[in-house]
């Protein structure tokens, strides 16, 4: 075989540069009509095609592109090394995005709300994932805390910033987990952003307010709050309460059916001292969906900033098996969605959907599908809240009235 001489390779960059320059100089500029034609031909994906972003939304690595404006950012937190039972939720963001593949802007109209969240006032983007270490939970917590603060401090779109509607003045983040411990860094960021404690509406089979020492170990000092193992997916709200992140007396658990520690209901006592109201799964049989909705609204109201935290295990594992700590006897997907629709008037400033662990889904993708639908309902409610507030302030409102 004859190989080209060294001089050929030395000249190759110049040859390529000359060709590319010549090509560019003789390239006809694309007209707006040509660009629109290309978009009409190739700008739409089917549910099964395209790169897997949430609902085929534009993907931007928001953490590294501070110039990008958005009103709602969807951010993945692929972290699961703070679980007490089954791992695998690091793959949750990927599964939820896959579950959202049939959601598109051209078929995204939500008839219950009479709007399409993907084509309304809010610019929604998929911000990708936070690159979180799986080796060091202290570092992981630091990374997530910094990432949420960074993203939360960004301005919204210019149109929203210029609006007279305060709800539009700060971007909203919807986090795809990841295990439930990710709520702690998110609440840290919101506490700093809003300069006050945040109310939490927490859908979960479990309390997640356990004192970390309730996980027994002879190897740690239960009085040392700096112990790394205290950061876990069952104690993050206890940590948040000790840090003053949660509004005492205005936060609600919904869908509870957990077993408690020891021989007495001490866990409930600790939970009440942290200011939580508890709604059990079984309560739905007594008061129905409307009663659950009314109880949440009565305790939280519609003015206080709210963080909506949804553990997918609030749904019965027969319908959503792909989760880290399954508890039989949960709500149906339909019941959860109806409750979420009923509380859409709340002042939601951030949300998460966590504990999707797709390895336990089998081939059904049921849990990822359920989580994606829940995300769609949350997005719809945030967009609807923005439209209602715009109508109240009396601005733009031709579009707001049309959509409502």
């Amino acid at each position: 075989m004859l190989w080209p001489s060294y001089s050929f390779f030395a000249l190759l960059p110049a040859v390529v540069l000359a060709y590319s320059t010549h090509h560019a100089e003789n390239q006809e500029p694309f007209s707006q009509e040509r660009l629109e034609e290309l978009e009409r031909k190739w700008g739409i994906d089917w549910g099964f095609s395209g790169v897997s972003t949430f609902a085929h939304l534009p993907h931007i690595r928001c953490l590294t592109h501070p110039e990008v404006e958005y009103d709602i950012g969807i951010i993945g937190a692929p972290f699961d090394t703070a679980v007490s039972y089954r791992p695998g939720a690091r793959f949750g963001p990927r599964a939820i995005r896959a579950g959202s593949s049939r959601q598109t802007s051209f078929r995204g109209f939500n008839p219950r709300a009479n709007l399409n969240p993907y084509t309304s006032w809010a610019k929604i983007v998929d911000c990708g994932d936070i690159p979180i270490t799986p080796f060091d939970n202290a570092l992981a917590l630091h990374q997530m805390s910094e990432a949420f603060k960074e993203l939360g401090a960004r301005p919204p779109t210019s149109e929203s910033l210029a609006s007279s509607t305060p709800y539009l003045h700060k971007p909203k983040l919807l986090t795809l987990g990841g295990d439930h411990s990710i709520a702690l860094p998110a609440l840290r960021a919101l506490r700093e952003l809003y300069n006050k404690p945040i109310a939490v509406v927490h859908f979960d089979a479990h309390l997640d307010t356990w004192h970390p020492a309730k996980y027994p170990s002879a190897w740690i000092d239960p009085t040392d709050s700096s112990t790394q193992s205290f950061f876990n997916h069952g104690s993050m709200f206890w940590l948040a309460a000790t840090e003053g992140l949660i509004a005492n007396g205005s936060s609600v658990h919904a869908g509870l059916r957990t077993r408690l520690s020891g021989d007495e209901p001490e866990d409930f006592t600790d939970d009440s001292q942290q200011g939580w109201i508890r709604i059990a799964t079984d309560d739905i049989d007594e008061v129905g969906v409307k009663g659950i909705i009314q109880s949440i609204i009565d305790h939280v109201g519609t003015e206080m900033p709210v963080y909506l935290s949804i553990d997918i295990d609030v749904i019965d594992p027969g319908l959503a098996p792909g989760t880290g700590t399954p508890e039989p006897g949960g709500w149906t997907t339909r019941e959860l969605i109806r409750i979420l629709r009923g509380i859409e008037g709340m002042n939601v400033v951030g949300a998460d959907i966590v504990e999707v662990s797709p390895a336990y889904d089998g081939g059904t993708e049921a849990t990822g599908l359920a989580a994606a639908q829940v995300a769609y309902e949350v997005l719809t409610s945030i967009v609807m809240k923005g439209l209602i507030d715009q109508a109240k302030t009396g601005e733009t409102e031709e579009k707001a009235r049309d959509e409502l």
Side-chain angles (χ1 to χ4, degrees), residues 21-82:
T21 304
H22 174 76
H23 181 72
E25 288 174 352
N26 290 277
Q27 176 75 52
E28 287 287 334
F30 288 109
S31 65
Q32 185 61 35
E33 291 77 14
R34 175 62 172 152
L35 293 173
E36 290 174 358
E37 179 189 10
L38 292 172
E39 181 64 26
R40 284 196 303 272
K41 285 182 175 179
W42 315 116
I44 294 176
D45 277 314
W46 293 96
F48 51 81
S49 67
V51 176
S52 186
T53 67
F54 189 89
H56 300 272
L57 290 166
H59 170 232
I60 298 146
R61 296 193 67 158
C62 300
L63 283 166
T64 58
H65 289 277
E67 76 281 359
V68 174
E69 296 179 341
Y70 55 87
D71 296 301
I72 304 174
I74 297 172
I75 184 73
F79 175 76
D80 66 359
T81 52

Side-chain angles (χ1 to χ4, degrees), residues 273-295:
Q273 288 175 349
Q274 295 171 49
W276 290 84
I277 305 300
R278 293 180 296 278
I279 299 172
T281 300
D282 293 346
D283 289 347
I284 203 168
D285 298 324
E286 307 300 325
V287 302
V289 167
K290 290 183 178 179
I292 302 293
I293 292 167
Q294 193 61 51
S295 181

Side-chain angles (χ1 to χ4, degrees), residues 161-303:
L161 198 59
S163 166
S164 61
T165 305
Y167 188 70
L168 276 58
H169 292 173
K170 293 182 175 67
K172 314 295 185 290
L173 293 179
L174 172 59
T175 307
L176 310 179
D179 72 50
H180 213 152
S181 64
I182 68 170
L184 176 61
L187 284 168
R188 285 177 173 175
L190 288 170
R191 172 67 176 82
E192 187 173 299
L193 183 63
Y194 287 87
N195 200 31
K196 61 182 176 180
I198 306 297
V200 178
V201 176
H202 173 220
F203 291 91
D204 202 322
H206 310 95
L207 291 167
D208 293 348
T209 55
W210 279 289
H211 189 292
K214 291 292 179 75
Y215 293 102
S217 174
W219 302 91
I220 63 171
D221 178 359
T223 65
D224 182 6
S225 60
S226 66
T227 301
Q228 182 173 308
S229 64
F230 278 17
F231 172 59
N232 62 69
H233 76 157
S235 300
M236 72 284 173
F237 287 137
W238 180 89
L239 290 170
T242 63
E243 294 181 19
L245 309 180
I246 298 177
N248 194 312
S250 297
S251 295
V252 176
H253 304 293
L256 295 173
R257 55 188 188 279
T258 185
R259 290 170 292 279
L260 303 180
S261 309
D263 301 317
E264 301 288 339
E266 293 177 1
D267 292 335
F268 283 165
T269 303
D270 290 345
D271 187 72
S272 296
Q273 288 175 349
Q274 295 171 49
W276 290 84
I277 305 300
R278 293 180 296 278
I279 299 172
T281 300
D282 293 346
D283 289 347
I284 203 168
D285 298 324
E286 307 300 325
V287 302
V289 167
K290 290 183 178 179
I292 302 293
I293 292 167
Q294 193 61 51
S295 181
I296 295 172
I297 293 294
D298 286 347
H299 285 108
V300 180
T302 57
E303 300 300 323

Side-chain angles (χ1 to χ4, degrees), residues 328-350:
W331 285 338
T332 66
T333 311
R334 182 183 65 189
E335 288 168 339
L336 173 61
I337 288 172
R338 287 191 64 196
I339 294 166
L340 289 171
R341 290 172 176 175
I343 61 174
E344 64 187 4
M346 293 190 311
N347 184 21
V348 174
V349 296

